[in-house]
Amino acid sequence: KTIEFTGALHATVVKQVCLKNPSSKTLMYNAILVGRDADDFSLPKGNTVTIAPKKKTSITVEFTSRFLRPAEAALLLVSKTVGGINGATLTFSLKSEIKHIEPADILKCKSPCYEL
């Protein structure tokens, strides 16, 4: 699954990844961001996720753009053993797209175009 982060240059975009536990045992995951632009993505609520039996939870992923080029990374959710139960490793592709640029400031200058 691909999660797309679309916004303005230097803006922070927040996305939620919903996880469901269909089993009758608690699942625990360690979240890891990897890839070329992994430093531009963050997990503000920490990198450990616990999902109670038959429940849903969500992971918050933030992206702050620094460049005009698209950023790419991957979110890996690696299962930790809880009571002898392991969940499947989950992978999400993270991609960004800059839709517009907000000016930081506007400067007005006067200058002669040509002098002899």
Side-chain angles (χ1 to χ4, degrees):
K1 175 101 178 142
T2 299
I3 302 164
E4 294 189 11
F5 295 80
T6 304
L9 183 63
H10 300 298
T12 299
V13 180
V14 180
K15 294 283 185 162
Q16 300 286 327
V17 179
C18 185
L19 302 172
K20 184 179 176 182
N21 180 2
S23 75
S24 59
K25 304 281 185 175
T26 299
L27 292 177
M28 192 174 227
Y29 285 97
N30 189 26
I32 306 164
L33 293 166
V34 295
R36 178 184 74 188
D37 301 306
D39 291 341
D40 295 333
F41 295 89
S42 65
L43 302 165
K45 293 183 180 177
N47 63 344
T48 301
V49 181
T50 304
I51 312 168
K54 307 286 185 191
K55 298 287 182 182
K56 293 180 186 178
T57 192
S58 62
I59 301 172
T60 303
V61 181
E62 288 184 356
F63 169 73
T64 303
S65 61
R66 298 184 298 151
F67 305 107
L68 287 174
R69 67 168 172 76
E72 295 179 4
L75 171 63
L76 296 176
L77 295 167
V78 181
S79 176
K80 291 181 174 182
T81 304
V82 179
I85 301 296
N86 275 337
T89 298
L90 305 172
T91 306
F92 297 91
S93 175
L94 309 175
K95 294 188 180 192
S96 74
E97 184 178 0
I98 304 303
K99 287 288 191 181
H100 60 281
I101 302 170
E102 299 282 332
D105 200 3
I106 297 174
L107 301 174
K108 291 185 179 183
C109 300
K110 277 190 173 183
S111 169
C113 290
Y114 175 76
E115 281 187 36
L116 195 56

